[in-house]
Amino acid sequence: MNRFLSNATNRIDAKGRVSVPSMFRAVLARAAVEELYAWQDFVFPAVSMAGPEVLDRFERMIGSQDPFSAQANEMSLLIHGGGVFMKLDGEGRLLVTDFIRDFTGITDRVTFAGRGDHFQLWEPAAFEEMQSRARKERTARS
Amino acid sequence: MNRFLSNATNRIDAKGRVSVPSMFRAVLARAAVEELYAWQDFVFPAVSMAGPEVLDRFERMIGSQDPFSAQANEMSLLIHGGGVFMKLDGEGRLLVTDFIRDFTGITDRVTFAGRGDHFQLWEPAAFEEMQSRARKERTARS
DNA sequence: TGGGCCACCATGGGCGTCAATGGGAACTGC
DNA sequence: GCAGTTCCCATTGACGCCCATGGTGGCCCA
């Protein structure tokens, strides 16, 4: 499979590391991604990750806008100022930094959620709640 | 036959596996489906399964919206974050994971229900009740 | 038409492999 | 030197793959 799908919750160890689900690692390996670009989601309290090509996409989007517009300015602030590069260790784990903890509320467990072309890190309870809320709204609309 | 029809109830074994009815497996084999896309039904407490082309359909639905809108983000949360790929073992069984149990209430038996282009997994009693209720409502209208 | 044989399906369980997790030790920058 | 990291290696529990068995329904043949 070539996209990020489903969700899984893993534990953070004493050193602050957490295993990225093997399914997601397989997708990354297939795309030959070495370094992950991470940014804060624009809507939810979650940190997103993907290969560096999404950063290119974001930059092209900014480039297509008026460089002096407030919107382009804001987006650059989010994309560049709110983004970092991360690497996995030999076992496919990543360090849960304060960048991640502060924005998501994650403490000792992480829920990984696939999002198609990227995946996200959530505080488990927040993920549960957001998902059931989204489902409720969707049924209410139909 | 090329669509999912009728229903059957099978037992979950000690390892948490359950046989997919051979009738359904035949439909899958005819469509050359190797991997199943599973998602939580938007109305009933049931998990639906079908070939990956259903996911494509869902993604096209999202793709037609503004990719940065909250609504597209929410929908992706459901179909990507709330969807799973599952594989059958050599005997045509699938693992009944917590993803399925929590949402359906399934414990030791599963009712498989054909739904045309996909099929669903139900807790047997819940399926009985839903079906008889649907039947009652229908006769009340006619 | 009845009986028996056979094939297939649902189910059970063994075993090897791999992912998730834990922890030691070297390494590096402050 | 110390704290935060990175690179290994160990453990264990879950899952995938394989083979076995029993029961049932269908089919063939007498």
Side-chain angles (χ1 to χ4, degrees):
Chain A
M1 192 45 53
N2 53 4
R3 47 197 157 182
F4 299 102
L5 203 68
S6 90
N7 66 81
T9 301
N10 288 340
R11 171 196 311 271
I12 298 178
D13 69 16
K15 291 179 169 179
R17 303 171 299 185
V18 65
S19 293
V20 174
S22 67
M23 198 185 311
F24 291 177
R25 295 204 309 263
V27 176
L28 293 172
R30 174 180 304 239
V33 170
E34 291 291 328
E35 221 168 15
L36 288 169
Y37 170 64
W39 72 98
Q40 298 166 336
D41 189 85
F42 305 125
V43 179
F44 298 117
V47 169
S48 300
M49 294 189 176
E53 76 283 353
V54 299
L55 179 55
D56 297 337
R57 207 165 69 212
F58 284 156
E59 288 182 334
R60 273 198 302 277
M61 192 184 317
I62 294 178
S64 68
Q65 297 182 345
D66 172 5
F68 296 103
S69 73
Q71 203 181 24
N73 207 317
E74 260 176 32
M75 187 155 281
S76 164
L77 196 63
L78 291 176
I79 301 298
H80 297 119
V84 294
F85 277 115
M86 306 203 77
K87 275 182 56 186
L88 303 186
D89 70 11
E91 279 70 43
R93 289 180 284 199
L94 62 84
L95 243 191
V96 182
T97 59
D98 286 342
F99 166 78
I100 296 173
R101 294 179 192 269
D102 293 345
F103 191 71
T104 60
I106 287 170
T107 56
D108 63 337
R109 282 154 33 94
V110 181
T111 293
F112 291 84
R115 296 298 298 266
D117 61 351
H118 65 279
F119 64 90
Q120 297 185 316
L121 279 63
W122 287 73
E123 197 286 312
F127 177 73
E128 283 293 329
E129 198 204 312
M130 275 308 160
Q131 208 178 31
S132 69
R133 177 179 306 177
R135 180 169 297 114
K136 223 170 285 166
E137 285 179 11
R138 212 210 146 276
T139 46
R141 272 201 301 277
S142 55
Chain B
M1 184 52 56
N2 55 2
R3 42 195 165 180
F4 301 102
L5 209 64
S6 88
N7 67 82
T9 300
N10 288 339
R11 171 194 309 272
I12 298 178
D13 70 16
K15 286 173 143 184
R17 303 171 299 184
V18 65
S19 292
V20 173
S22 67
M23 199 184 311
F24 291 177
R25 295 205 308 263
V27 176
L28 293 172
R30 173 179 304 240
V33 171
E34 291 289 328
E35 225 168 10
L36 288 169
Y37 173 64
W39 72 98
Q40 296 164 333
D41 189 86
F42 302 124
V43 179
F44 297 116
V47 168
S48 300
M49 295 190 174
E53 76 282 354
V54 175
L55 178 58
D56 295 337
R57 210 163 69 210
F58 285 158
E59 286 185 334
R60 275 198 297 278
M61 201 186 310
I62 293 180
S64 65
Q65 301 181 342
D66 171 9
F68 291 98
S69 72
Q71 203 181 60
N73 206 323
E74 268 181 20
M75 187 161 284
S76 159
L77 194 64
L78 287 181
I79 71 162
H80 292 125
V84 190
F85 274 120
M86 307 203 76
K87 277 181 54 187
L88 304 187
D89 69 12
E91 281 69 41
R93 290 178 286 197
L94 62 85
L95 240 194
V96 183
T97 59
D98 287 342
F99 167 78
I100 296 174
R101 296 179 192 267
D102 293 346
F103 192 72
T104 60
I106 287 171
T107 56
D108 63 338
R109 281 152 33 92
V110 181
T111 293
F112 291 83
R115 296 295 297 264
D117 62 350
H118 65 279
F119 64 90
Q120 297 184 317
L121 279 63
W122 287 74
E123 197 286 314
F127 177 72
E128 281 294 328
E129 197 203 314
M130 267 318 154
Q131 208 177 32
S132 71
R133 177 178 306 177
R135 185 172 295 118
K136 217 171 291 166
E137 283 179 10
R138 215 209 141 277
T139 45
R141 272 201 301 278
S142 55

